Amino acid sequence: DAALFTLLNMSAIPAARPYLRELDSTKPLAQIIKAATTRLGSGSVTADEQKQKQLAFQCLKARMAVAFLLASEGHFGQSRATSETTAYYARTERSAMLTNKSEAILIVELLANVLHQRAKEGAGGYSAATFSIKVVLCAIRCLLTSAENQATLATHVGVQLNALLLIALAQHAIRRAPAIDSEAAEHASFSLYLLSNSGFKNPFLPMPYSFGSQADKVLTSYLQTPNVTPAGQHAASQLLLRMKYLVFQGEIEDEGDSGIQSSDFELSFEIKRDLESIVVETRSPGAKPREDIFDRPILRSRAPKKGMEKAPWDNASSVSPFPNALLAIQQMSFGSTKVRHLGSIDDVFIANSIAKCAGGEKSESYNYWWKWQDEIDAPPDPSSAAVNGSTRSTQRSSSSKGGVMSSFLSRATSGGEDTEPISIFGFTCCAADTV
């Protein structure tokens, strides 16, 4: 356990990560995770509750260390990865980074305890000084680079986790808590932003956070802090644009034996008092999200060359798949290495435009062609094929070995890299460094 904790602390240090990657430290960490989850699932230790709790927390620590090594650079909103890091990502299996429901609960418990400077007693416990809030927030953000982890955390602990992230932002922006510096606040802001993709249809924050515009005031105050980072600013701005459409519902109850109380998810009295003096100016909401941008897988292709009537959807090398349009916008939103944005960004607006293109309402969007994946996968209609003379091409596509989409699906979470310039909202694009 001491060796694992040392590895976790080393992986949390940016300067140490290249050496850990060079030693391929992800491999032993993945073996620890596999062994722990196997034992937890086999029932071999379930009779000893204390050992089970200790083993579960060891698994979480290993998972956090893997996330630091595989998802701390080069992802949406992060600094550009070096060529060595990119190569390591490409040859390393990412499944060890995928969390589950039981670990999601432990993440919330850990964040709540660290945020409130509280120890955890018993097996799998820790002192109040064991973890820094910055390390925990960074680990959460790294885990959330995975679309699967976003879905897992949003489904099982979304409201609780979002409330804690907003409290961390409030402690930084309102109370100027020294433990939460601008970098830690960025992690909280960006994590909350990533989780908000699930908040359009499912509860995002408890109902009390809508009273007196508490969430709006915290985010506005954060944007006005002197050292707000570009990534944190983008995340908070996007949250304010979509706030009108996010779901505020219910209240959080005590968590029973875990030691977590409902008050842990509420803003402190001092913060609420300070928020009363903050006035938020009336602003126009962002674009209203279309229903088809959330759950419908989408494909992106470079616009076909002159003389070609169709995008090469049967060419896996030129087509990139995404789980939905909201995730597809990441490579053309904040921090793109191919685009310099000359105006404000509304990610939902971009996603809506992409969906219109996929639905045939426009020919291309942001210099790309888009198509709903289920339309590519759908079985051909013989009568339709006969009318438009496409029977031969349909048969040729459906008879391809393994199907074209099998190769797309294997790349769905990585998304690939942009290789062409993009225009946003009609602005011309030019070379740019990562913001």
Side-chain angles (χ1 to χ4, degrees):
D1 190 66
L4 178 58
F5 186 69
T6 301
L7 265 178
L8 172 59
N9 281 334
M10 291 180 64
S11 64
I13 302 173
R17 290 172 193 151
Y19 300 101
L20 293 174
R21 294 185 183 115
E22 185 176 344
L23 296 171
D24 201 10
S25 299
T26 302
K27 185 175 294 183
L29 289 167
Q31 292 173 344
I32 292 172
I33 293 170
K34 183 177 180 180
T37 52
T38 300
R39 292 183 65 192
L40 287 169
S42 66
S44 60
V45 296
T46 52
D48 191 330
E49 185 178 354
Q50 299 304 309
K51 287 184 178 179
Q52 187 181 25
K53 290 181 178 180
Q54 184 177 10
L55 193 61
F57 195 62
Q58 287 177 341
C59 189
L60 175 61
K61 287 188 288 187
R63 192 91 67 188
M64 292 166 61
V66 170
F68 281 129
L69 296 177
L70 293 183
S72 56
E73 305 165 42
H75 296 275
F76 183 37
Q78 297 176 344
S79 60
R80 186 184 304 178
T82 63
S83 57
E84 292 81 4
T85 299
T86 301
Y88 184 74
Y89 288 170
R91 67 175 182 266
T92 306
E93 173 62 44
R94 291 173 58 88
S95 60
M97 209 180 78
L98 302 182
T99 188
N100 52 49
K101 178 182 177 180
S102 60
E103 290 175 4
I105 295 173
L106 288 177
I107 289 172
V108 166
E109 183 182 65
L110 175 62
L111 180 56
N113 286 331
V114 174
L115 194 59
H116 296 289
Q117 301 178 341
R118 185 172 57 212
K120 179 183 177 181
E121 304 296 334
Y126 38 84
S127 72
T130 300
F131 296 92
S132 74
I133 184 63
K134 186 173 182 177
V135 167
V136 176
L137 289 172
C138 184
I140 292 172
R141 181 180 178 184
C142 291
L143 288 169
L144 287 172
T145 60
S146 161
E148 293 93 332
N149 282 343
Q150 290 179 30
T152 298
L153 292 174
T155 299
H156 299 296
V157 295
V159 175
Q160 297 96 319
L161 182 55
N162 293 337
L164 293 173
L165 292 170
L166 193 66
I167 291 172
L169 267 184
Q171 289 188 4
H172 169 76
I174 308 297
R175 303 301 297 173
R176 300 293 195 270
I180 305 178
D181 60 12
S182 59
E183 189 175 351
E186 176 191 310
H187 297 324
S189 178
F190 218 88
S191 297
L192 193 62
Y193 160 54
L194 292 174
L195 288 167
S196 71
N197 285 346
S198 299
F200 290 101
K201 291 189 172 183
N202 303 297
F204 177 62
L205 282 168
M207 181 62 74
Y209 278 95
S210 66
F211 299 157
S213 303
Q214 288 185 7
D216 293 58
K217 289 182 177 181
V218 169
L219 292 168
T220 301
S221 298
Y222 170 61
L223 288 173
Q224 295 173 351
T225 56
N227 296 319
V228 59
T229 63
Q233 183 181 39
H234 173 79
S237 298
Q238 294 305 306
L239 285 165
L240 287 172
L241 285 173
R242 58 182 64 178
M243 193 64 66
K244 175 182 177 181
Y245 310 109
L246 297 175
V247 179
F248 290 77
Q249 181 176 307
E251 297 184 5
I252 300 176
E253 300 179 353
D254 292 345
E255 294 294 319
D257 298 334
S258 67
I260 305 300
Q261 302 175 353
S262 59
S263 58
D264 291 338
F265 304 97
E266 299 175 1
L267 295 172
S268 66
F269 171 79
E270 293 79 10
I271 290 178
K272 289 180 179 178
R273 180 194 60 202
D274 292 344
L275 288 179
E276 291 179 357
S277 61
I278 297 175
V279 177
V280 177
E281 296 181 0
T282 303
R283 67 179 186 280
S284 300
K288 182 178 180 180
R290 290 167 54 113
E291 287 296 321
D292 52 7
I293 70 172
F294 300 110
D295 305 314
R296 198 172 180 186
I298 195 170
L299 304 177
R300 184 191 71 195
S301 171
R302 299 183 186 93
K305 298 179 181 179
K306 292 182 178 180
M308 295 180 62
E309 296 181 358
K310 297 182 179 180
W313 299 113
D314 58 345
N315 185 356
S317 64
S318 64
V319 177
S320 297
F322 300 91
N324 57 58
L326 267 180
L327 293 176
I329 60 92
Q330 292 183 0
Q331 293 184 12
M332 58 188 67
S333 178
F334 171 82
S336 171
T337 58
K338 304 296 182 182
V339 179
R340 187 182 302 280
H341 299 289
L342 304 179
S344 60
I345 304 172
D346 184 343
D347 286 345
V348 173
F349 178 90
I350 300 175
N352 286 346
S353 180
I354 289 172
K356 289 180 180 179
C357 182
E361 298 178 41
K362 53 195 301 189
S363 60
E364 67 178 61
S365 183
Y366 309 110
N367 287 353
Y368 286 99
W369 280 24
W370 303 84
K371 193 76 171 178
W372 296 119
Q373 178 182 301
D374 52 24
E375 293 183 358
I376 299 295
D377 288 341
D381 182 347
S383 60
S384 174
V387 170
N388 60 31
S390 62
T391 304
R392 287 183 58 192
S393 61
T394 301
Q395 291 174 341
R396 184 165 57 248
S397 174
S398 62
S399 62
S400 298
K401 183 178 180 181
V404 173
M405 292 315 304
S406 62
S407 61
F408 293 157
L409 290 175
S410 66
R411 301 160 53 216
T413 56
S414 62
E417 292 292 331
D418 280 330
T419 56
E420 297 290 338
I422 309 167
S423 297
I424 297 295
F425 304 141
F427 294 123
T428 57
C429 52
C430 54
D433 294 329
T434 301
V435 178

